[in-house]
């Protein structure tokens, strides 16, 4: 039986739809982790949003090349490479951007979702601010492995895959960064 142009177009549309659904199932659950990494690398929400958008477009474009076990590690590696490409384009002077210390606010009208008292919130906010300031002072190669380990709770192998580093280098950077 000969396939017509309309049959080929329908098959291609069905294949594209299946690919899109698979991408959504594998990549979209990691959108928050991608944004968190980009936010820490960029230092501000606007650039982080741009990096994540570009990274997701790249990930979708090259989704057929994904062959790993961890879509999260694959996606975060793309976010990292996208940020490095942009950072190199702008120059290293953008490495130490001011961090938005309000981005982790989990409060509503002054009270946390857990109902913590104002003094506990003040202490938590001060601790969060000090951690953010300390992270912002680190060179990016130490900051990124700390973010992936401590905030994203990734294992050494996953971090090594994301950062394209040997596990020993990941461990060394974690120790020096801490």
């Amino acid at each position: 039986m000969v396939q017509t142009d309309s049959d080929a177009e329908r098959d291609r549309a069905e294949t594209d739809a299946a690919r899109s659904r698979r991408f959504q199932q594998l990549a979209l659950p990691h959108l928050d982790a991608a944004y968190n990494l980009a936010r820490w690398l960029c230092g501000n929400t606007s650039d982080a949003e741009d990096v994540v958008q570009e990274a997701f477009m790249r990930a979708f474009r090259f989704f057929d090349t994904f062959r790993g076990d961890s879509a999260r590690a694959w996606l975060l590696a793309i976010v990292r490479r996208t940020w490095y490409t942009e950072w190199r384009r702008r120059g290293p002077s953008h490495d130490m951007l001011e961090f938005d210390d309000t981005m982790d606010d989990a409060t509503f009208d002054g009270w946390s979702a857990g109902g913590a008292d104002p003094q506990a919130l003040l202490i938590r906010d001060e601790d969060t601010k000090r951690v953010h300031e300390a992270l912002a002072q680190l060179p990016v190669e130490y900051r990124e492995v700390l973010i992936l380990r401590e905030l994203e709770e990734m294992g050494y192998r996953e971090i090594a895959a994301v950062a394209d580093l040997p596990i020993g280098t990941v461990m060394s950077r974690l120790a020096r960064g801490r």
Side-chain angles (χ1 to χ4, degrees), residues 19-88:
R19 180 176 180 259
S20 181
R21 279 192 303 278
R22 184 169 176 258
F23 179 79
Q24 289 175 12
Q25 290 172 343
L26 290 174
L28 288 185
H30 307 296
L31 182 60
D32 287 343
Y35 178 71
N36 287 337
L37 177 60
R39 190 173 55 188
W40 277 103
L41 291 172
C42 295
N44 67 68
T45 57
S46 178
D47 288 345
E49 290 168 356
D50 292 344
V51 165
V52 170
Q53 182 178 10
E54 177 65 24
F56 266 75
M57 288 180 0
R58 289 180 185 183
F60 186 71
R61 190 174 333 135
F62 297 106
F63 188 56
D64 295 332
T65 65
F66 172 64
R67 300 283 183 261
D69 295 329
S70 174
R72 181 179 182 205
W74 176 74
L75 186 61
L76 292 180
I78 294 171
V79 168
R80 179 181 176 270
R81 283 191 299 271
T82 302
W83 177 76
Y84 268 110
T85 300
E86 181 63 21
W87 181 67
R88 274 189 235 117

Side-chain angles (χ1 to χ4, degrees), residues 96-163:
M96 298 303 289
L97 296 175
E98 186 172 322
F99 189 79
D100 178 4
D101 63 350
T102 63
M103 68 184 176
D104 283 337
D105 268 347
T107 62
F108 180 76
D109 290 342
W111 293 92
S112 75
D117 66 78
Q119 184 178 7
L121 288 173
L122 182 64
I123 292 169
R124 188 208 71 192
D125 288 347
E126 187 61 33
D127 289 345
T128 299
K129 183 178 179 183
R130 290 198 330 237
V131 168
H132 289 179
E133 288 170 355
L135 282 169
Q137 295 300 313
L138 288 174
V140 71
E141 61 268 11
Y142 300 126
R143 185 172 57 223
E144 71 181 350
V145 294
L146 273 170
I147 297 303
L148 292 172
R149 177 69 183 146
E150 302 302 334
L151 299 182
E152 294 302 324
E153 300 177 351
M154 295 180 85
Y156 294 151
R157 283 196 172 103
E158 285 181 303
I159 296 169
V162 168

